[in-house]
Amino acid sequence: MNHGNISPEIAKGLKVLQSRIAKAAIPSSKLDETLNIATWNIREFGKKARSAAAIHYIAEILGQFDLISIAELRDNLTDLGRVLDVLGPTWRVIYSDALRDSGGNNERVGFIYDKRAVAFSGFAATANPPREKVGNLYLPKFDWWREPFMASFSAGSFDFVLLAAHAQWGTPAGRLVELQSLAEWVDLKRKEKTCEDKDLIIVGDFNIETPEQLAALTGKGLQMPAALEGKSFGTNLAQDKRYDQILHYPGYPQNFSNQAGVVDFYAGSSKELFPAVDADQHRHRGSEARRDHSGRQVSAAVADPVRAPSPLTPGCRTSLLSCPSRLARSPCSTGGPRRRYTCAA
């Protein structure tokens, strides 16, 4: 990571941020042994240019992990490019096309990753819901405001598909239906004979507010890693809502290192990070924050793909985790195209 020439104010803020990150006790990743995965809703990332301080802070947080799912990545990618410049030349991003209506909110889903730790292995797509023929039309059975986005990755001998979703805020009833349909789709996907990989990690912002909504998402067998299950922390700034989730099918629980949690970069106040901004002007609906706040806390979990046995096994989660893969694949080369951006429409 290269923060370069920064002002004394940003340098001071970075020191404060680093102390807050340290309290999360994020374990160091080990090449071909462990993989640190996280999920983060960076509110309206790209809608309006962020300050230099915010760009450096976002990069500092992202740099603690190997693979991060980003919700609310907007159509304008300028700020994303600024963050990648700080992260350095080994960082890459894969992102979906923007949904340009009020339901889609001009949002994309992005996967930011360090190619030294994990390699993109070629598959990236939005989730296609099953269709049924009605007259001469084939209509989707599921109605999502924003289609989930997925991509395949390889870390050492572990191959997996990371799927991220941003559920509608809309109405509680509409959200419940959407969460149920997503759980059903993931279950159908992992049972396909020709699916890309049966090791699925499900991450994202599901706007879960009630036990019923969580039950809808986990109704087909998805579970939290043991290190996250039963914890009381929330992923919004008030830490009272579990909007963001990491889920998997626990075929081999020993794949996970039992280290997981939330990075509380807010710590009750933004004043030390943004001294020129009045904290009272920041308002949030879970993760909504005006000006330079980046949104929810970062949810994280750590997995150990190398200890994973090689037999068939499903596995998935949102936020930060790994699962064993059916196909053992050698580590991918760091060569290939030099593009740092991959858009999968």
Side-chain angles (χ1 to χ4, degrees):
M1 189 178 306
N2 179 18
H3 286 289
N5 248 347
I6 54 176
S7 69
E9 291 77 17
I10 294 177
K12 184 178 179 181
L14 280 170
K15 288 291 186 182
V16 172
L17 178 62
Q18 288 163 355
S19 68
R20 294 177 180 182
I21 292 172
K23 292 178 181 178
I26 303 169
S28 298
S29 59
K30 298 177 182 178
L31 187 63
D32 292 345
E33 291 186 20
T34 60
L35 188 67
N36 287 356
I37 306 172
T39 184
W40 192 8
N41 180 328
I42 306 179
R43 183 182 183 243
E44 298 180 345
F45 189 29
K47 181 179 180 181
K48 183 179 179 181
R50 276 177 159 80
S51 68
I55 293 298
H56 285 278
Y57 298 160
I58 291 170
E60 183 69 25
I61 294 168
L62 293 174
Q64 310 304 311
F65 304 97
D66 303 314
L67 172 61
I68 311 100
S69 169
I70 302 297
E72 291 202 36
L73 176 62
R74 289 301 194 95
D75 50 344
N76 188 328
L77 299 171
T78 302
D79 275 358
L80 174 62
R82 294 169 65 198
V83 168
L84 288 172
D85 286 342
V86 176
L87 284 169
T90 65
W91 286 81
R92 300 288 184 267
V93 62
I94 302 166
Y95 53 84
S96 65
D97 197 7
L99 291 165
R100 302 180 186 278
D101 56 36
S102 57
N105 201 32
N106 287 319
E107 288 182 25
R108 310 174 187 268
V109 173
F111 298 134
I112 299 175
Y113 64 99
D114 186 342
K115 71 175 187 178
R116 296 171 297 181
V118 61
F120 171 56
S121 53
F123 170 71
T126 53
N128 293 321
R131 300 187 301 175
E132 55 186 357
K133 189 174 183 181
V134 180
N136 292 323
L137 301 175
Y138 286 87
L139 302 178
K141 293 176 66 176
F142 301 150
D143 184 16
W144 296 320
W145 279 22
R146 294 172 283 257
E147 290 86 357
F149 181 62
M150 54 187 166
S152 61
F153 294 94
S154 177
S157 60
F158 174 56
D159 300 336
F160 62 98
V161 171
L162 184 66
L163 182 144
H166 185 193
Q168 64 160 286
W169 183 246
T171 65
R175 201 178 322 143
L176 187 69
V177 172
E178 194 167 283
L179 294 172
Q180 288 171 335
S181 66
L182 177 59
E184 184 177 341
W185 185 92
V186 172
D187 186 55
L188 292 171
K189 187 66 177 176
R190 75 185 182 105
K191 292 177 180 177
E192 289 180 356
K193 292 182 179 180
T194 58
C195 67
E196 287 69 23
D197 204 298
K198 294 185 182 296
D199 294 311
L200 298 168
I201 298 174
I202 311 302
V203 301
D205 173 9
F206 299 98
N207 281 314
I208 289 175
E209 294 189 298
T210 66
E212 291 77 18
Q213 291 170 353
L214 180 59
L217 182 59
T218 57
K220 294 292 184 177
L222 287 171
Q223 292 185 17
M224 297 179 192
L228 287 174
E229 194 171 4
K231 296 291 180 66
S232 60
F233 53 71
T235 60
N236 59 328
L237 296 185
Q239 298 186 356
D240 58 356
K241 302 291 184 184
R242 293 291 289 270
Y243 290 134
D244 307 278
Q245 296 289 335
I246 300 176
L247 303 169
H248 71 113
Y249 292 98
Y252 290 91
Q254 66 269 32
N255 294 330
F256 303 99
S257 65
N258 288 323
Q259 292 176 288
V262 171
V263 178
D264 182 9
F265 56 85
Y266 182 62
S269 173
S270 65
K271 191 171 183 179
E272 290 184 273
L273 300 177
F274 302 99
V277 179
D278 183 355
D280 290 338
Q281 294 178 358
H282 293 264
R283 303 168 62 187
H284 57 85
R285 173 201 52 114
S287 69
E288 287 185 10
R290 302 190 185 280
R291 302 201 182 187
D292 282 329
H293 275 328
S294 48
R296 297 191 174 99
Q297 316 301 317
V298 183
S299 299
V302 184
D304 187 340
V306 169
R307 293 187 222 139
S310 56
L312 297 174
T313 172
C316 300
R317 252 294 296 201
T318 33
S319 226
L320 199 169
L321 85 138
S322 273
C323 313
S325 172
R326 176 166 70 153
L327 300 177
R329 187 180 298 166
S330 59
C332 294
S333 166
T334 55
R338 295 190 177 184
R339 293 192 311 160
R340 299 178 69 189
Y341 292 80
T342 301
C343 179

PDB file of all heavy atoms in Angstrom, residues 213-231:
ATOM      1  N   GLN A 213     -36.505 -12.615   8.830  1.00  0.00           N
ATOM      2  CA  GLN A 213     -35.752 -12.357   7.607  1.00  0.00           C
ATOM      3  C   GLN A 213     -34.482 -13.207   7.553  1.00  0.00           C
ATOM      4  O   GLN A 213     -34.121 -13.729   6.493  1.00  0.00           O
ATOM      5  CB  GLN A 213     -35.418 -10.869   7.509  1.00  0.00           C
ATOM      6  CG  GLN A 213     -36.643  -9.999   7.256  1.00  0.00           C
ATOM      7  CD  GLN A 213     -36.361  -8.512   7.409  1.00  0.00           C
ATOM      8  OE1 GLN A 213     -35.265  -8.116   7.831  1.00  0.00           O
ATOM      9  NE2 GLN A 213     -37.343  -7.685   7.089  1.00  0.00           N
ATOM     10  N   LEU A 214     -33.807 -13.364   8.683  1.00  0.00           N
ATOM     11  CA  LEU A 214     -32.632 -14.224   8.711  1.00  0.00           C
ATOM     12  C   LEU A 214     -33.024 -15.672   8.430  1.00  0.00           C
ATOM     13  O   LEU A 214     -32.314 -16.387   7.695  1.00  0.00           O
ATOM     14  CB  LEU A 214     -31.934 -14.125  10.063  1.00  0.00           C
ATOM     15  CG  LEU A 214     -30.679 -14.991  10.229  1.00  0.00           C
ATOM     16  CD1 LEU A 214     -29.625 -14.623   9.182  1.00  0.00           C
ATOM     17  CD2 LEU A 214     -30.111 -14.854  11.634  1.00  0.00           C
ATOM     18  N   ALA A 215     -34.156 -16.104   8.973  1.00  0.00           N
ATOM     19  CA  ALA A 215     -34.628 -17.470   8.740  1.00  0.00           C
ATOM     20  C   ALA A 215     -34.953 -17.686   7.265  1.00  0.00           C
ATOM     21  O   ALA A 215     -34.740 -18.786   6.728  1.00  0.00           O
ATOM     22  CB  ALA A 215     -35.853 -17.750   9.600  1.00  0.00           C
ATOM     23  N   ALA A 216     -35.466 -16.653   6.607  1.00  0.00           N
ATOM     24  CA  ALA A 216     -35.767 -16.775   5.178  1.00  0.00           C
ATOM     25  C   ALA A 216     -34.499 -16.994   4.376  1.00  0.00           C
ATOM     26  O   ALA A 216     -34.461 -17.812   3.447  1.00  0.00           O
ATOM     27  CB  ALA A 216     -36.492 -15.524   4.696  1.00  0.00           C
ATOM     28  N   LEU A 217     -33.432 -16.290   4.728  1.00  0.00           N
ATOM     29  CA  LEU A 217     -32.169 -16.412   3.997  1.00  0.00           C
ATOM     30  C   LEU A 217     -31.481 -17.745   4.283  1.00  0.00           C
ATOM     31  O   LEU A 217     -30.796 -18.293   3.419  1.00  0.00           O
ATOM     32  CB  LEU A 217     -31.244 -15.255   4.372  1.00  0.00           C
ATOM     33  CG  LEU A 217     -29.893 -15.185   3.661  1.00  0.00           C
ATOM     34  CD1 LEU A 217     -30.067 -15.072   2.149  1.00  0.00           C
ATOM     35  CD2 LEU A 217     -29.074 -14.005   4.185  1.00  0.00           C
ATOM     36  N   THR A 218     -31.648 -18.267   5.477  1.00  0.00           N
ATOM     37  CA  THR A 218     -30.965 -19.501   5.873  1.00  0.00           C
ATOM     38  C   THR A 218     -31.873 -20.722   5.793  1.00  0.00           C
ATOM     39  O   THR A 218     -31.504 -21.806   6.262  1.00  0.00           O
ATOM     40  CB  THR A 218     -30.411 -19.366   7.296  1.00  0.00           C
ATOM     41  OG1 THR A 218     -31.490 -19.054   8.199  1.00  0.00           O
ATOM     42  CG2 THR A 218     -29.370 -18.254   7.370  1.00  0.00           C
ATOM     43  N   GLY A 219     -33.041 -20.566   5.192  1.00  0.00           N
ATOM     44  CA  GLY A 219     -34.031 -21.642   5.179  1.00  0.00           C
ATOM     45  C   GLY A 219     -33.627 -22.873   4.391  1.00  0.00           C
ATOM     46  O   GLY A 219     -34.205 -23.944   4.568  1.00  0.00           O
ATOM     47  N   LYS A 220     -32.643 -22.750   3.505  1.00  0.00           N
ATOM     48  CA  LYS A 220     -32.193 -23.881   2.698  1.00  0.00           C
ATOM     49  C   LYS A 220     -30.839 -24.421   3.166  1.00  0.00           C
ATOM     50  O   LYS A 220     -30.173 -25.144   2.428  1.00  0.00           O
ATOM     51  CB  LYS A 220     -32.107 -23.472   1.229  1.00  0.00           C
ATOM     52  CG  LYS A 220     -33.445 -23.148   0.593  1.00  0.00           C
ATOM     53  CD  LYS A 220     -34.315 -24.404   0.451  1.00  0.00           C
ATOM     54  CE  LYS A 220     -35.613 -24.092  -0.273  1.00  0.00           C
ATOM     55  NZ  LYS A 220     -36.430 -25.312  -0.470  1.00  0.00           N
ATOM     56  N   GLY A 221     -30.451 -24.068   4.370  1.00  0.00           N
ATOM     57  CA  GLY A 221     -29.262 -24.678   4.941  1.00  0.00           C
ATOM     58  C   GLY A 221     -28.044 -23.793   5.067  1.00  0.00           C
ATOM     59  O   GLY A 221     -27.020 -24.218   5.634  1.00  0.00           O
ATOM     60  N   LEU A 222     -28.104 -22.569   4.573  1.00  0.00           N
ATOM     61  CA  LEU A 222     -26.968 -21.665   4.752  1.00  0.00           C
ATOM     62  C   LEU A 222     -26.773 -21.362   6.235  1.00  0.00           C
ATOM     63  O   LEU A 222     -27.751 -21.189   6.972  1.00  0.00           O
ATOM     64  CB  LEU A 222     -27.192 -20.361   3.988  1.00  0.00           C
ATOM     65  CG  LEU A 222     -27.079 -20.429   2.461  1.00  0.00           C
ATOM     66  CD1 LEU A 222     -27.547 -19.122   1.835  1.00  0.00           C
ATOM     67  CD2 LEU A 222     -25.650 -20.734   2.046  1.00  0.00           C
ATOM     68  N   GLN A 223     -25.519 -21.268   6.653  1.00  0.00           N
ATOM     69  CA  GLN A 223     -25.206 -20.979   8.050  1.00  0.00           C
ATOM     70  C   GLN A 223     -24.058 -19.987   8.146  1.00  0.00           C
ATOM     71  O   GLN A 223     -23.272 -19.841   7.219  1.00  0.00           O
ATOM     72  CB  GLN A 223     -24.817 -22.265   8.791  1.00  0.00           C
ATOM     73  CG  GLN A 223     -25.932 -23.252   8.973  1.00  0.00           C
ATOM     74  CD  GLN A 223     -25.500 -24.447   9.819  1.00  0.00           C
ATOM     75  OE1 GLN A 223     -24.480 -24.386  10.512  1.00  0.00           O
ATOM     76  NE2 GLN A 223     -26.268 -25.516   9.769  1.00  0.00           N
ATOM     77  N   MET A 224     -23.983 -19.331   9.295  1.00  0.00           N
ATOM     78  CA  MET A 224     -22.829 -18.490   9.590  1.00  0.00           C
ATOM     79  C   MET A 224     -21.662 -19.383  10.005  1.00  0.00           C
ATOM     80  O   MET A 224     -21.871 -20.446  10.584  1.00  0.00           O
ATOM     81  CB  MET A 224     -23.129 -17.542  10.749  1.00  0.00           C
ATOM     82  CG  MET A 224     -24.228 -16.554  10.501  1.00  0.00           C
ATOM     83  SD  MET A 224     -24.457 -15.536  11.986  1.00  0.00           S
ATOM     84  CE  MET A 224     -26.021 -14.736  11.570  1.00  0.00           C
ATOM     85  N   PRO A 225     -20.431 -18.947   9.754  1.00  0.00           N
ATOM     86  CA  PRO A 225     -19.296 -19.637  10.374  1.00  0.00           C
ATOM     87  C   PRO A 225     -19.435 -19.572  11.887  1.00  0.00           C
ATOM     88  O   PRO A 225     -20.027 -18.645  12.431  1.00  0.00           O
ATOM     89  CB  PRO A 225     -18.083 -18.821   9.905  1.00  0.00           C
ATOM     90  CG  PRO A 225     -18.535 -18.169   8.649  1.00  0.00           C
ATOM     91  CD  PRO A 225     -19.987 -17.866   8.859  1.00  0.00           C
ATOM     92  N   ALA A 226     -18.885 -20.553  12.569  1.00  0.00           N
ATOM     93  CA  ALA A 226     -19.044 -20.641  14.023  1.00  0.00           C
ATOM     94  C   ALA A 226     -18.571 -19.387  14.727  1.00  0.00           C
ATOM     95  O   ALA A 226     -19.131 -18.974  15.746  1.00  0.00           O
ATOM     96  CB  ALA A 226     -18.290 -21.861  14.543  1.00  0.00           C
ATOM     97  N   ALA A 227     -17.534 -18.736  14.173  1.00  0.00           N
ATOM     98  CA  ALA A 227     -16.979 -17.554  14.837  1.00  0.00           C
ATOM     99  C   ALA A 227     -17.915 -16.355  14.782  1.00  0.00           C
ATOM    100  O   ALA A 227     -17.763 -15.411  15.555  1.00  0.00           O
ATOM    101  CB  ALA A 227     -15.641 -17.186  14.204  1.00  0.00           C
ATOM    102  N   LEU A 228     -18.888 -16.378  13.862  1.00  0.00           N
ATOM    103  CA  LEU A 228     -19.843 -15.269  13.768  1.00  0.00           C
ATOM    104  C   LEU A 228     -21.174 -15.601  14.429  1.00  0.00           C
ATOM    105  O   LEU A 228     -21.892 -14.717  14.868  1.00  0.00           O
ATOM    106  CB  LEU A 228     -20.095 -14.917  12.298  1.00  0.00           C
ATOM    107  CG  LEU A 228     -18.966 -14.202  11.564  1.00  0.00           C
ATOM    108  CD1 LEU A 228     -19.312 -14.060  10.086  1.00  0.00           C
ATOM    109  CD2 LEU A 228     -18.708 -12.830  12.162  1.00  0.00           C
ATOM    110  N   GLU A 229     -21.497 -16.880  14.484  1.00  0.00           N
ATOM    111  CA  GLU A 229     -22.798 -17.295  14.996  1.00  0.00           C
ATOM    112  C   GLU A 229     -22.930 -16.955  16.471  1.00  0.00           C
ATOM    113  O   GLU A 229     -22.031 -17.193  17.277  1.00  0.00           O
ATOM    114  CB  GLU A 229     -22.979 -18.799  14.797  1.00  0.00           C
ATOM    115  CG  GLU A 229     -24.408 -19.261  14.983  1.00  0.00           C
ATOM    116  CD  GLU A 229     -24.595 -20.707  14.568  1.00  0.00           C
ATOM    117  OE1 GLU A 229     -23.586 -21.353  14.220  1.00  0.00           O
ATOM    118  OE2 GLU A 229     -25.734 -21.174  14.598  1.00  0.00           O
ATOM    119  N   GLY A 230     -24.058 -16.361  16.807  1.00  0.00           N
ATOM    120  CA  GLY A 230     -24.331 -16.061  18.200  1.00  0.00           C
ATOM    121  C   GLY A 230     -23.716 -14.778  18.714  1.00  0.00           C
ATOM    122  O   GLY A 230     -23.980 -14.372  19.837  1.00  0.00           O
ATOM    123  N   LYS A 231     -22.873 -14.132  17.902  1.00  0.00           N
ATOM    124  CA  LYS A 231     -22.270 -12.878  18.337  1.00  0.00           C
ATOM    125  C   LYS A 231     -23.328 -11.765  18.328  1.00  0.00           C
ATOM    126  O   LYS A 231     -24.245 -11.758  17.514  1.00  0.00           O
ATOM    127  CB  LYS A 231     -21.108 -12.504  17.430  1.00  0.00           C
ATOM    128  CG  LYS A 231     -19.950 -13.494  17.474  1.00  0.00           C
ATOM    129  CD  LYS A 231     -19.241 -13.448  18.812  1.00  0.00           C
ATOM    130  CE  LYS A 231     -18.076 -14.420  18.876  1.00  0.00           C
ATOM    131  NZ  LYS A 231     -16.993 -14.057  17.957  1.00  0.00           N
TER     132      LYS A 231
END
